[in-house]
Short mmCIF file of all heavy atoms in Angstrom, two decimals:
data_model
loop_
_atom_site.label_atom_id
_atom_site.label_comp_id
_atom_site.label_asym_id
_atom_site.label_seq_id
_atom_site.Cartn_x
_atom_site.Cartn_y
_atom_site.Cartn_z
N VAL A 1 0.82 -1.21 0.00
CA VAL A 1 0.00 0.00 0.00
C VAL A 1 0.85 1.27 0.00
O VAL A 1 0.60 2.20 -0.78
CB VAL A 1 -0.95 0.00 1.21
CG1 VAL A 1 -1.75 1.31 1.26
CG2 VAL A 1 -1.90 -1.19 1.15
N ASN A 2 1.86 1.32 0.86
CA ASN A 2 2.62 2.55 1.03
C ASN A 2 3.72 2.75 -0.01
O ASN A 2 4.11 3.89 -0.28
CB ASN A 2 3.24 2.59 2.42
CG ASN A 2 2.21 2.67 3.51
OD1 ASN A 2 1.06 3.03 3.27
ND2 ASN A 2 2.58 2.33 4.73
N ALA A 3 4.20 1.67 -0.59
CA ALA A 3 5.28 1.79 -1.58
C ALA A 3 4.81 1.41 -2.98
O ALA A 3 4.84 2.24 -3.90
CB ALA A 3 6.47 0.93 -1.16
N THR A 4 4.35 0.18 -3.16
CA THR A 4 3.99 -0.28 -4.51
C THR A 4 2.89 0.59 -5.12
O THR A 4 2.99 1.02 -6.28
CB THR A 4 3.53 -1.74 -4.48
OG1 THR A 4 4.58 -2.55 -3.94
CG2 THR A 4 3.19 -2.23 -5.88
N TYR A 5 1.84 0.87 -4.36
CA TYR A 5 0.75 1.70 -4.89
C TYR A 5 1.23 3.11 -5.21
O TYR A 5 0.82 3.71 -6.21
CB TYR A 5 -0.41 1.75 -3.91
CG TYR A 5 -1.23 0.49 -3.79
CD1 TYR A 5 -2.29 0.40 -2.90
CD2 TYR A 5 -0.93 -0.63 -4.57
CE1 TYR A 5 -3.04 -0.76 -2.78
CE2 TYR A 5 -1.67 -1.80 -4.45
CZ TYR A 5 -2.73 -1.86 -3.56
OH TYR A 5 -3.46 -3.01 -3.44
N THR A 6 2.10 3.64 -4.37
CA THR A 6 2.66 4.98 -4.62
C THR A 6 3.43 5.00 -5.93
O THR A 6 3.28 5.92 -6.75
CB THR A 6 3.58 5.39 -3.46
OG1 THR A 6 2.83 5.48 -2.25
CG2 THR A 6 4.24 6.73 -3.74
N LEU A 7 4.25 3.99 -6.15
CA LEU A 7 5.07 3.96 -7.36
C LEU A 7 4.24 3.68 -8.60
O LEU A 7 4.53 4.21 -9.68
CB LEU A 7 6.17 2.90 -7.21
CG LEU A 7 7.14 3.14 -6.04
CD1 LEU A 7 8.16 2.01 -5.94
CD2 LEU A 7 7.85 4.47 -6.21
N THR A 8 3.18 2.89 -8.47
CA THR A 8 2.28 2.67 -9.60
C THR A 8 1.61 3.98 -10.01
O THR A 8 1.51 4.29 -11.21
CB THR A 8 1.20 1.63 -9.24
OG1 THR A 8 1.85 0.42 -8.84
CG2 THR A 8 0.30 1.33 -10.43
N LEU A 9 1.17 4.74 -9.05
CA LEU A 9 0.57 6.04 -9.34
C LEU A 9 1.58 6.98 -9.98
O LEU A 9 1.28 7.69 -10.95
CB LEU A 9 0.01 6.65 -8.05
CG LEU A 9 -0.63 8.04 -8.17
CD1 LEU A 9 -1.84 8.00 -9.08
CD2 LEU A 9 -1.00 8.57 -6.78
N ALA A 10 2.79 6.99 -9.46
CA ALA A 10 3.83 7.87 -10.00
C ALA A 10 4.18 7.50 -11.44
O ALA A 10 4.39 8.38 -12.30
CB ALA A 10 5.08 7.81 -9.12
N ARG A 11 4.23 6.21 -11.75
CA ARG A 11 4.53 5.78 -13.12
C ARG A 11 3.39 6.16 -14.07
O ARG A 11 3.63 6.51 -15.23
CB ARG A 11 4.80 4.28 -13.16
CG ARG A 11 6.17 3.89 -12.60
CD ARG A 11 6.52 2.45 -12.94
NE ARG A 11 5.64 1.52 -12.24
CZ ARG A 11 5.93 0.99 -11.05
NH1 ARG A 11 7.05 1.30 -10.43
NH2 ARG A 11 5.08 0.14 -10.48
N ALA A 12 2.16 6.08 -13.58
CA ALA A 12 1.02 6.50 -14.40
C ALA A 12 1.12 7.99 -14.71
O ALA A 12 0.86 8.42 -15.84
CB ALA A 12 -0.29 6.19 -13.68
N ALA A 13 1.52 8.78 -13.72
CA ALA A 13 1.70 10.21 -13.93
C ALA A 13 2.85 10.47 -14.90
O ALA A 13 2.79 11.37 -15.75
CB ALA A 13 1.96 10.91 -12.60
N GLU A 14 3.91 9.66 -14.79
CA GLU A 14 5.06 9.81 -15.66
C GLU A 14 4.67 9.62 -17.13
O GLU A 14 5.21 10.29 -18.03
CB GLU A 14 6.13 8.79 -15.26
CG GLU A 14 7.43 8.89 -16.03
CD GLU A 14 8.42 7.84 -15.58
OE1 GLU A 14 8.00 6.71 -15.25
OE2 GLU A 14 9.62 8.14 -15.56
N LYS A 15 3.71 8.73 -17.39
CA LYS A 15 3.27 8.48 -18.76
C LYS A 15 2.62 9.69 -19.40
O LYS A 15 2.53 9.78 -20.63
CB LYS A 15 2.28 7.31 -18.78
CG LYS A 15 2.92 5.94 -18.58
CD LYS A 15 1.87 4.84 -18.72
CE LYS A 15 2.49 3.46 -18.60
NZ LYS A 15 1.47 2.39 -18.73
N ARG A 16 2.16 10.62 -18.59
CA ARG A 16 1.52 11.82 -19.13
C ARG A 16 2.52 12.81 -19.68
O ARG A 16 2.16 13.81 -20.30
CB ARG A 16 0.66 12.49 -18.06
CG ARG A 16 -0.52 11.64 -17.59
CD ARG A 16 -1.64 12.49 -17.05
NE ARG A 16 -2.17 13.35 -18.09
CZ ARG A 16 -2.52 14.64 -17.91
NH1 ARG A 16 -2.35 15.20 -16.72
NH2 ARG A 16 -3.00 15.35 -18.90
N GLY A 17 3.80 12.55 -19.45
CA GLY A 17 4.84 13.40 -20.00
C GLY A 17 4.76 14.82 -19.49
O GLY A 17 4.49 15.06 -18.31
N ALA A 18 4.97 15.78 -20.38
CA ALA A 18 5.01 17.19 -19.99
C ALA A 18 3.66 17.71 -19.51
O ALA A 18 3.58 18.79 -18.91
CB ALA A 18 5.49 18.04 -21.16
N ASN A 19 2.59 16.96 -19.76
CA ASN A 19 1.27 17.39 -19.29
C ASN A 19 1.14 17.30 -17.77
O ASN A 19 0.27 17.95 -17.18
CB ASN A 19 0.17 16.53 -19.92
CG ASN A 19 0.02 16.79 -21.40
OD1 ASN A 19 0.05 17.94 -21.83
ND2 ASN A 19 -0.11 15.74 -22.19
N PHE A 20 2.00 16.48 -17.15
CA PHE A 20 1.95 16.36 -15.71
C PHE A 20 3.01 17.26 -15.08
O PHE A 20 4.17 17.26 -15.51
CB PHE A 20 2.18 14.92 -15.26
CG PHE A 20 2.01 14.73 -13.78
CD1 PHE A 20 0.75 14.66 -13.22
CD2 PHE A 20 3.12 14.66 -12.95
CE1 PHE A 20 0.59 14.51 -11.86
CE2 PHE A 20 2.97 14.51 -11.59
CZ PHE A 20 1.69 14.44 -11.04
N LYS A 21 2.62 18.01 -14.04
CA LYS A 21 3.49 19.05 -13.50
C LYS A 21 4.25 18.67 -12.24
O LYS A 21 5.44 18.94 -12.11
CB LYS A 21 2.67 20.31 -13.22
CG LYS A 21 1.86 20.81 -14.40
CD LYS A 21 2.72 21.10 -15.62
CE LYS A 21 1.88 21.64 -16.78
NZ LYS A 21 2.69 21.83 -18.01
N LYS A 22 3.58 18.04 -11.24
CA LYS A 22 4.28 17.79 -9.98
C LYS A 22 3.54 16.76 -9.14
O LYS A 22 2.31 16.74 -9.08
CB LYS A 22 4.40 19.11 -9.18
CG LYS A 22 4.93 19.00 -7.74
CD LYS A 22 6.41 18.70 -7.70
CE LYS A 22 7.24 19.95 -7.89
NZ LYS A 22 7.23 20.84 -6.72
N LEU A 23 4.30 15.89 -8.47
CA LEU A 23 3.78 14.97 -7.46
C LEU A 23 4.39 15.36 -6.12
O LEU A 23 5.61 15.49 -5.99
CB LEU A 23 4.17 13.53 -7.79
CG LEU A 23 3.96 12.49 -6.69
CD1 LEU A 23 2.47 12.29 -6.41
CD2 LEU A 23 4.61 11.16 -7.05
N VAL A 24 3.53 15.57 -5.13
CA VAL A 24 3.97 15.75 -3.75
C VAL A 24 3.60 14.49 -2.99
O VAL A 24 2.42 14.13 -2.91
CB VAL A 24 3.32 16.98 -3.10
CG1 VAL A 24 3.67 17.04 -1.61
CG2 VAL A 24 3.79 18.26 -3.79
N PHE A 25 4.59 13.81 -2.47
CA PHE A 25 4.38 12.56 -1.74
C PHE A 25 4.51 12.83 -0.24
O PHE A 25 5.53 13.34 0.23
CB PHE A 25 5.40 11.51 -2.16
CG PHE A 25 5.37 10.25 -1.34
CD1 PHE A 25 4.19 9.54 -1.18
CD2 PHE A 25 6.52 9.77 -0.72
CE1 PHE A 25 4.15 8.37 -0.41
CE2 PHE A 25 6.50 8.61 0.03
CZ PHE A 25 5.31 7.90 0.19
N ILE A 26 3.44 12.50 0.49
CA ILE A 26 3.49 12.63 1.95
C ILE A 26 4.12 11.36 2.52
O ILE A 26 3.46 10.33 2.66
CB ILE A 26 2.09 12.86 2.54
CG1 ILE A 26 1.39 14.03 1.86
CG2 ILE A 26 2.21 13.11 4.05
CD1 ILE A 26 2.07 15.37 2.01
N SER A 27 5.39 11.44 2.82
CA SER A 27 6.09 10.33 3.44
C SER A 27 5.95 10.46 4.95
O SER A 27 4.87 10.80 5.45
CB SER A 27 7.56 10.32 3.01
OG SER A 27 8.26 9.23 3.55
N SER A 28 6.99 10.23 5.70
CA SER A 28 6.93 10.31 7.16
C SER A 28 8.34 10.42 7.71
O SER A 28 9.30 9.90 7.13
CB SER A 28 6.25 9.07 7.73
OG SER A 28 6.38 9.03 9.14
N LEU A 29 8.46 11.09 8.85
CA LEU A 29 9.75 11.11 9.54
C LEU A 29 10.17 9.71 9.95
O LEU A 29 11.35 9.43 10.15
CB LEU A 29 9.66 12.03 10.77
CG LEU A 29 10.98 12.43 11.41
CD1 LEU A 29 11.87 13.17 10.43
CD2 LEU A 29 10.73 13.27 12.65
N ALA A 30 9.18 8.81 10.03
CA ALA A 30 9.48 7.40 10.35
C ALA A 30 10.37 6.77 9.29
O ALA A 30 11.03 5.76 9.56
CB ALA A 30 8.19 6.61 10.49
N ALA A 31 10.40 7.32 8.08
CA ALA A 31 11.28 6.80 7.03
C ALA A 31 12.75 7.00 7.39
O ALA A 31 13.61 6.22 6.96
CB ALA A 31 10.96 7.46 5.69
#
């Protein structure tokens, strides 16, 4: 949930190329 799903979403955004502007990922100090 916290890693694989995040990366799947990010790769989907990456496919949009220049049409996609920014991803802000809420991680945690626990990292």
